[in-house]
Amino acid sequence: GHAQRVHEAQRQIGSLMKPFVYLTALRDAAHFNLATRLEDEPRTWRGADGKLWSPQNYDKRSHGSVPMDFALANSLNLATLDLASQIGIPSVVGTLHAMGVEQDIPSYPSVALGAVEMTPYDVTQLYQALANDGYRSPLRAIKAVVDANGTLLERNQLKVRRLVDAPTAFLI
């Protein structure tokens, strides 16, 4: 039932991808910070199929030069693509893989706007590390099994790994 869908139902994650574009940039603190200006202007990209792709913002407007924190807070597609083009889509894909995503993700510009299929479980696992000061602990539905008296019969050992430094996780 539900558990199977959480693990198997894949759909495009859309704007849930954006924080990981910004995270990839902020890990390069010498070049990027929340005040770094991005160009929220229309551009045309060559898509995965070789066709031209001219994405828009949700409000169909462009906002000119905007700071990174404004772009993320307002989920601006065009500014996010500007940032992705500066850091490189392969770097964004590298961040996802470093954070535990196992599937192959092609390095196309549309990836920055979430043209990637994932399960709800995979997306939750990604966000869990951000919410946990950069530490990834594998998601578990069952922590322990006890008998009627509360005696521990079995426990899931959690292997915790730092994936992102705490200040950067906090900024996102």
Side-chain angles (χ1 to χ4, degrees), residues 64-155:
S65 177
V66 296
M68 194 185 289
D69 60 348
F70 180 89
L72 178 55
N74 290 280
S75 194
L76 298 180
N77 290 341
L78 302 178
T80 301
L81 282 164
D82 180 43
L83 180 59
S85 72
Q86 292 183 54
I87 58 180
I89 298 293
S91 296
V92 176
V93 172
T95 294
L96 295 174
H97 286 155
M99 295 188 74
V101 174
E102 293 175 359
Q103 72 204 59
D104 285 334
I105 299 171
S107 292
Y108 296 120
S110 57
V111 165
L113 302 187
V116 174
E117 293 199 346
M118 288 189 198
T119 65
Y121 182 88
D122 290 337
V123 173
T124 303
Q125 183 71 75
L126 273 175
Y127 272 85
Q128 180 271 339
L130 286 182
N132 197 29
D133 288 334
Y135 285 102
R136 178 188 198 267
S137 52
L139 298 177
R140 292 280 182 269
I142 300 171
K143 277 190 181 163
V145 179
V146 294
D147 67 15
N149 302 318
T151 305
L152 183 69
L153 300 178
E154 189 181 330
R155 174 184 292 282

